[in-house]
Amino acid sequence: MLRALDRKLFRDLWAVRGQVIAISCVLAGGIATYVMSASTLESLQQTQSRMYREFRFPELFAGLKQAPLSVATRVAAVPGIAAVEARVVAPANIELAGYGQPVSGQVVGLPLGAGRFNLLHLHAGRMPEPGRDKEALVSDGFAKAHQLQPGFELAVTINGRKQRLVVVGVASSPEFTYQLAPGSIVPDFKTYCILWMNAAPLEGSFNMTGAFNQLAASLERGARVEDAVQAVDAILRTYGGLGAHGRKDQISHRFLAEEFKQLEMMATLFPAIFLSVAGFLLNVVVGRLMATQRGQIATLKAFGYTTGAIVWHFVKFTAVIVTIGTLLGIAGGAWMGSGMSRLYMDVYRFPYLEYSIGGGVVAMSFAVSLAAAGVGTLFSVLKSAAESPAVAMQPANPGKYRRSFLEMPWFSQPSRMIVRNLERRPVKSLLSIGGVAMSTAILILGGFWGDAVDYMVFAQLRRAQLDDLTVTFFTPVSTRGLHSLRSLPGVTYAEPTRSVAARFRFAQRTYRTALQGMEPEGQLRRLLDAKLGRVELPPEGILLTDHLATMLGVKPGDTVTVELLEGSRAVRQVAVAGVVSEYIGVTAYMRRDALNRFLREGDVATGAYLAVDPPAMPELYQRLKRVPAVAGVAARAQALKSFYETLAAQMLTFAFFNTLLASTIAIGVVYNTVRISLSERGRELASLRVLGYTRGEVSYILLGELTVLVFLAIPVGLVMGHGLAYFMAMSAQTELFRIPFVVRPSTYAMAALVVALATAGSAFLVGRKINHLDLVEVLKARE
Amino acid sequence: MEAVFAARAVTKFYDMGEVRVHALRGVDIELYSGEMMVLLGPSGSGKSTLLNILGGLDRASGGSVLYRGFDITAAKDRELTQYRRRHVGFVFQFYNLIPSLTALENVAAVTEIAENPMKPAEALELVGLADRMHHFPSQLSGGQQQRVAIARAIAKRPSVLLCDEPTGALDSETGIVVLEAIDKVNRELGAATAVITHNADIAGMADRVIHMSNGGVSHVELNANRRNPRELHW
Ligand SMILES: Nc1ncnc2c1ncn2[C@@H]1O[C@H](COP(=O)(O)OP(=O)(O)O)[C@@H](O)[C@H]1O
Ligand SMILES: [Mg+2]
């Protein structure tokens, strides 16, 4: 019985194929962003937990100055701690034949035999053999960046002593999935590297034989991290303990956790926008279909079809669109997701990443698109299907209109028609405006990321950090030593700095970070407020990164407890003089002389900022490498370049998808709106053509309505985009980084332009249909 | 009398796949200035097709139609639009009013693009709807809607008024009111008028009745004394 009806179904679908495609695409956009984010999230989380198990990621971490190995045994005896592994990790400078830039890194001592924690994944080569002092493994990111193969030789300076190491393998480890050089913004695999070598020779070079400076532990089931941290801190205090912490403060783990949060938001916010627009479009199209088929439905019922059969018929109509959209979306999401995973693999050095789409994600995709479609259509389908055939058979009356308060006496009749049509369907008009506004907002969001990054780069590297090179020392150095730096070739200016680990406490809250001693009128490093104005360092007291102040809940004028974790280990109440605006990490600042007094030390520094004549740079690198006190050298220009390179690639991809998705919504909404108007009013417009109206004049009525909608939608969209960007900026505020809320005027203009172009494109498509209105056909039959 | 239209050997066929439907098989007719003509014939005889061709809505497959010497069969689309805009008034079976415009505005929609129109209110008065000017189509009865359609058609002072089954959707009483309106504007404005009907009783109001059957003119009948529509009944 339904065979004929099914044929009708496909003909109906074919008749509105343009709209079927438009709605499917909007639906697909929502499903694609969901599938992309959800599947990437799921894959990353699965990979993470598998990797943590397989490579034994510890649960407790502690750094310290130095302690004999017997201390590790004492830690192992702490209740709640299951197993402990102690090791030596040393900072190093690395020279690579044929690469002129400074490369810094860490050398990790490998325990004899099988290690307990942080097992390595070998990408190539082999492990260093026991007793071979000159063999080392390099991190895979570094190996890839420089195309290093096993057999390659590196000159590695540890503790001022240069030695040649042979690369025997390429490895990765869960503790180094995110490799951020101290003070840098994004991982730079060209200038930062992790090396692993046998423990004995490393301990020898670092004067740490029989001792350790890092400790990892696992916990017994049910043990609390906080308790273990306290107990371990108590033991390590006398050995220069830098404070133990759980996974949550481990840098790789923390960055991944942040990333997961972002993905979760992406998996809800964007799909919600797209699906609500798709639901609206389906509502409009199915509503129109029900109206045109009113007579047909009545006839079918007159011949004995049940209401249920009719409802089922239109449910199938919707289901076809939902299926097309969802399948398209899943395919698109899989494609984007695998691309996104590759992007993650570039930044996060997982030993492997198995990208897959779980059955749950697929089921969820269908469930949410069906839900959106159901909400959008079910009401009008049920209502029409239940209508009494006798009523439905009667011809529909002309639509009920009324004069609009918006119209002016001098309006031409076509202009009146535009205004009255908009006003007759206020909900539909508002939803159309909402849809177009959403797409404008999404476009602004895309532009916002670029604006924010540009602003960060500008603020950080052109206003705050003006040094060409940052030098760090192994141990605090008297500032007299700075004279020797100043006399190096090309150095035009040098500014000392003193950094010390400290714990900050206010009320119940504590936070561990660096307390940085700065020169009062520093030329190379400046502390800035949110408007990029300079913030002066007070003679006493501290300045906090704004986010640190928020986390601690302090405001300028409050007093915080500062506990130094090195040197004097003094504890003191210090006044918070103000906050500074920074985008990466959180730090507290103090005048260097005040900090040195706090530490009960003389005029010393742990590093220096240098201004350098660019031509002298290569020679200066060579000379700096030979200065024994220098632990590391970082170049600003290099950081800037790599930052731009990494981000530019990601931004471009993001902007592309973003524009694509936003245009899908804009075109979907606009095309459907006009298409429906045309179908509702084709007869009316054809009548006008019969009366002598030209094509242009008839197009004006139809497209004028659209133009009014879009003109109203764009400002709404600009405001919404502003809000959405603000929301994104606020929800991305973490201790690791913040995104400034900056949207350039050009971004707003661009969003408006893209929407206008999408509108013009859809108008063009429908405009061609106006030209082909069949005048005779339209007059023949009553609708 | 001057011929407004002169149609010669007009043919029209539709190709429906294998078969060719001949809607008009060579029609020769004239419509004279100020004349009231009725096209009478059974459904499917080609009346609407002919009227649409005369009105510049459709194109003939063969033959020629001269409107005051201007060959509309050879005219471009744009010229046809201008032709309809200036010279032709249409009235349709289903009124085809713009639902979003009031009666007055529906008329104004045409007068706004015409060269020397009457005032919209004047046109509505002519059809006896002065008191319904500000009503929307949904607030008017079928007969009233049709009279608005007539007002709209004649407000531009057309040279020809073409009415396709103007009473087809109306009961006889209402139909007569509508026909009176047509009769009145024909007399007062002198527009050459063609009224299509399949109802032989209506033919009495014409100066000339063209009988059509099977795509051709079967015979032409002259009415010595044209009757007022009020005297008709069916
Ligand atoms: N678009 C069309 N396609 C095919 N045949 C048509 C079309 N329009 C009209 N016809 C045919 O042309 C003939 C004349 O139609 P029409 O002029 O509408 O008749 P009338 O108005 O006298 O009832 C009919 O046989 C009709 O089926
Ligand atoms: Mg007809």
Side-chain angles (χ1 to χ4, degrees), chain A residues 269-270 272-274 276-277 430-446 448 662 665 669 709-710 712-729 741 743 747-748 751 755:
Chain A
L269 182 69
F270 284 89
I273 294 178
F274 277 92
S276 50
V277 172
L430 282 177
L431 288 175
S432 300
I433 289 173
V436 175
M438 294 268 198
S439 76
T440 317
I442 293 179
L443 282 167
I444 289 173
L445 194 61
F448 155 68
I665 293 191
V669 173
L709 285 176
V710 172
L712 291 174
I714 285 177
V716 174
L718 295 182
V719 173
M720 275 170 55
H722 185 88
L724 203 57
Y726 182 78
F727 171 74
M728 283 301 221
F741 174 60
V743 187
T747 298
Y748 292 117
V755 169

Side-chain angles (χ1 to χ4, degrees), chain A residues 15-32:
Chain A
V16 293
R17 58 192 174 278
Q19 285 152 282
V20 170
I21 292 170
I23 299 172
S24 301
C25 284
V26 174
L27 202 58
I31 294 302

Side-chain angles (χ1 to χ4, degrees), chain A residues 413 420 689 693 697 779, chain B residues 84-85 96 105 109 112:
Chain A
Q413 307 314 320
R420 287 178 195 173
R689 289 275 291 124
Y693 275 72
E697 285 161 342
L779 297 173
Chain B
R84 292 200 300 270
R85 193 171 183 144
N96 289 31
E105 289 162 348
E112 275 171 8

Side-chain angles (χ1 to χ4, degrees), chain A residues 780, chain B residues 42-49 52 93 164-165 196 198:
Chain A
K780 264 189 184 155
Chain B
S43 182
S45 54
K47 308 181 296 286
S48 295
T49 306
N52 288 342
Q93 182 175 0
D164 191 346
E165 312 243 11
I196 286 184
H198 58 259

Side-chain angles (χ1 to χ4, degrees), chain A residues 654-671:
Chain A
F654 183 71
F656 171 74
F657 280 122
N658 206 74
T659 310
L660 194 74
L661 292 175
S663 310
T664 308
I665 293 191
I667 293 174
V669 173
V670 168
Y671 179 77

Side-chain angles (χ1 to χ4, degrees), chain B residues 2 22 32 42 55 57 60 72 81 92 99-100 117 132-133 150 155 168 228:
Chain B
E2 185 203 355
H22 287 271
Y32 298 105
L57 286 178
I72 59 172
T81 301
F92 304 102
S100 59
R132 294 302 183 103
M133 287 199 285
I150 294 168
N228 189 303

